[in-house]
């Protein structure tokens, strides 16, 4: 059990606006953030029956509220393993990023290693892999293998999808015109200051174009592009590189 927890005031202007008017969902949200089973990284085992008991809601109401929280994109829940992930909890309770020598790195890794490998825990691993230096933690070797396997499968599917899109574009080229070009890279988040990682780019060229639009100094392009393609590039990374460039100028 955590000895303390923090609920930032900004929560009312971000996550909870999607739940306004739904008392059950708001109750569930605060319970997920502060309950006795919760961890500082926001991913932990939580049976719905326990959720209902502690909130005083009936099982149907608890399930409905949890579903609404998940539909709002605030959390994810795996019914098979009964694991919940409150998406921004690690960023607010720990930090958006940690230095490799921070004592919290092995602590976070230990908490994650205690959980079974499933889609939710792998998503958490992918999201914080670089920010929390998970790849350097021996306790997470199985997660790293699972991540690499998932990445290989995803890349294969993306190649097939890109090939199909190229064929579709070739067939519809006359309708678009010789100079027509769509900008389909709409991965920027609504609230980048909440430290969500940017969505992975669909191609290297789109990734480079996006980084240029962010004003990233050219010397950091390769490093930033690698993180972007893995889905682990944060807005704070861009700002840090900009500040570093200004200091060296």
């Amino acid at each position: 059990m955590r000895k303390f927890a923090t609920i930032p005031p900004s929560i009312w202007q971000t996550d909870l606006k999607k739940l306004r008017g739904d008392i059950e969902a708001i109750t569930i949200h605060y319970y997920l953030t502060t309950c006795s089973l919760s961890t500082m990284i926001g991913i932990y085992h939580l049976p719905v029956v326990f959720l209902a008991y502690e909130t005083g809601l009936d099982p149907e109401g608890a399930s409905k509220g949890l579903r609404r929280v998940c539909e709002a994109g605030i959390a994810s829940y795996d019914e098979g393993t009964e694991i919940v992930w409150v998406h921004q909890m690690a960023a607010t309770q720990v930090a958006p990023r940690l230095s490799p020598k921070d004592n919290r790195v092995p602590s976070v890794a230990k908490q994650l290693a205690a959980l079974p490998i499933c889609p939710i825990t792998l998503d958490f691993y992918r999201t914080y892999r670089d920010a929390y230096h998970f790849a350097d933690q021996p306790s997470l070797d199985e997660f790293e293998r699972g991540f690499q396997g998932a990445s290989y499968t995803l890349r294969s599917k993306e190649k097939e999808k890109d090939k199909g899109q190229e064929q579709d574009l070739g067939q519809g080229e006359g309708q678009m015109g010789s100079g027509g070009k769509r900008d389909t890279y709409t991965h920027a988040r609504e609230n980048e200051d909440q430290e969500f990682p940017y969505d992975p780019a669909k191609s290297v060229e789109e990734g480079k174009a996006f980084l240029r639009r962010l004003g990233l100094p050219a010397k950091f392009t390769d490093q930033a592009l690698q993180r972007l393609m893995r889905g682990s590039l944060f807005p704070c990374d861009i700002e840090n590189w900009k500040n570093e460039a200004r200091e060296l100028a």
Side-chain angles (χ1 to χ4, degrees), residues 216 220 223-224 227 233 237-245:
L216 178 72
F220 301 109
Q223 187 176 356
R227 293 187 184 181
L233 179 67
D237 296 325
I238 300 297
E239 291 305 314
N240 289 339
W241 281 320
K242 287 181 179 180
N243 291 334
E244 184 176 340

Side-chain angles (χ1 to χ4, degrees), residues 152-214:
Y152 177 81
T153 301
L154 181 60
R155 286 196 297 269
S156 297
K157 290 183 178 179
E158 286 178 344
K159 286 181 180 179
E160 293 178 1
K161 183 179 179 181
D162 289 343
K163 185 176 180 180
Q165 288 177 341
E166 289 175 0
Q167 293 175 347
D168 292 342
L169 288 175
Q171 294 172 356
E173 207 167 51
Q175 296 179 358
M176 288 187 65
S178 58
K181 183 177 181 181
R182 289 197 189 99
D183 183 6
T184 58
Y185 193 29
T186 57
H187 73 312
R189 303 287 186 175
E190 293 180 0
N191 296 304
E192 293 182 358
D193 60 339
Q194 295 303 307
E195 290 303 334
F196 287 98
Y198 295 112
D199 290 341
K202 295 180 180 179
S203 68
V204 171
E205 290 307 315
E206 281 192 351
K208 289 181 178 179
F210 176 71
L211 294 174
R212 286 196 295 270
R213 291 199 297 271
L214 291 180

